[in-house]
Amino acid sequence: EARTFANCDAGSLYIKEGDHLNFVISQNDTLAARESKKAEEMLFKPFPVPISNQSLSGYVANTGTLVNIPDAYAIPDSAEYHFDRSFDQRVNYRTTSMLQLPMKDVRGGVIGVLQLINAKDQNGKIIPFNRDSEELMLSVASQAAVAIKNAQLNKEIKEAHLDTIMRLGLAAEYRDKETGGHIHRMSHYSGIIAKMM
């Protein structure tokens, strides 16, 4: 949706986990058309990005500020962050305009970074991202942050639920030896059946 609003060729999503960002998903219309969707998926491998001012996404996560770059290859040497051209070189792509947006939770903490690449005009020509639309795109990033936070909370609830079941099972083991032995046997049999399936 963010790519549709911004009318851009590509985009990526980074989620904060501890002291790094996980590159979790990327879309690229040019590569999808040229390489097919299957090949595009093979080109993008999840990887961690340190939260530091060295990389663009790390800088946005570290500072919580939006970065709008008209040409990624023309970032001044004096800038705190830099653009890594290795992906472009590997897949024969040219990243030009970039919009990096912090995704913040309700407390203002950065939980991820939304990266938009190569804004296009009506004729498909690559142009800089419109500075007037930055507020709209920050709102989109905020909505994405809410969705991601909700998904993370749901995952935590499921994990807590499973942990409670495991603890109740352990408590039942201590009730008597027969119940504990039965639980261990059933756990073992379930594991064998799962492996066979």
Side-chain angles (χ1 to χ4, degrees):
E1 290 302 316
R3 289 182 52 233
T4 301
F5 284 131
N7 191 31
C8 63
D9 185 54
S12 302
L13 185 64
Y14 299 84
I15 304 297
K16 183 178 178 182
E17 290 187 18
D19 63 346
H20 67 277
L21 295 170
N22 269 345
F23 174 83
V24 293
I25 191 166
S26 186
Q27 297 174 341
N28 188 306
D29 291 343
T30 298
L31 293 179
R34 189 174 73 205
E35 307 290 342
S36 85
K37 191 66 176 168
K38 184 77 172 164
E40 181 189 3
E41 290 170 5
M42 291 168 42
L43 294 171
F44 297 105
K45 303 276 190 232
F47 60 89
V49 176
I51 296 177
S52 72
N53 290 1
Q54 301 301 309
S55 69
L56 282 164
S57 54
Y59 176 84
V60 172
N62 198 31
T63 63
T65 58
L66 172 149
V67 175
N68 189 342
I69 300 170
D71 186 350
Y73 284 56
I75 296 173
D77 292 337
S78 60
E80 289 186 68
Y81 48 79
H82 70 277
F83 173 69
D84 183 0
R85 299 180 187 190
S86 61
F87 177 80
D88 282 11
Q89 292 166 348
R90 191 174 81 235
V91 299
N92 191 26
Y93 184 76
R94 173 59 161 94
T95 299
T96 305
S97 58
M98 296 182 79
L99 183 61
Q100 301 258 349
L101 304 144
M103 298 181 346
K104 297 182 179 181
D105 61 18
V106 293
R107 294 186 185 111
V110 176
I111 65 166
V113 175
L114 176 61
Q115 173 181 266
L116 301 173
I117 300 170
N118 289 349
K120 299 183 286 187
D121 65 12
Q122 295 83 354
N123 301 319
K125 180 184 173 194
I126 304 300
I127 59 172
F129 283 92
N130 185 342
R131 298 214 179 263
D132 295 336
S133 66
E134 288 178 357
E135 286 301 317
L136 170 65
M137 297 315 300
L138 280 171
S139 295
V140 171
S142 176
Q143 291 299 312
V146 169
I148 289 167
K149 193 66 174 175
N150 286 342
Q152 289 172 338
L153 290 173
N154 281 335
K155 182 180 176 188
E156 288 175 17
I157 289 169
K158 285 180 184 178
E159 288 172 356
H161 180 72
L162 290 174
D163 185 55
T164 300
I165 291 170
M166 291 299 294
R167 289 177 189 272
L168 287 171
L170 287 172
E173 283 185 41
Y174 291 110
R175 190 169 151 222
D176 60 56
K177 288 183 181 181
E178 200 170 304
T179 302
H182 174 71
I183 290 171
H184 282 290
R185 285 190 302 276
M186 293 309 297
S187 170
H188 182 70
Y189 295 147
S190 297
I192 291 170
I193 291 169
K195 284 180 186 175
M196 296 303 293
M197 292 177 77

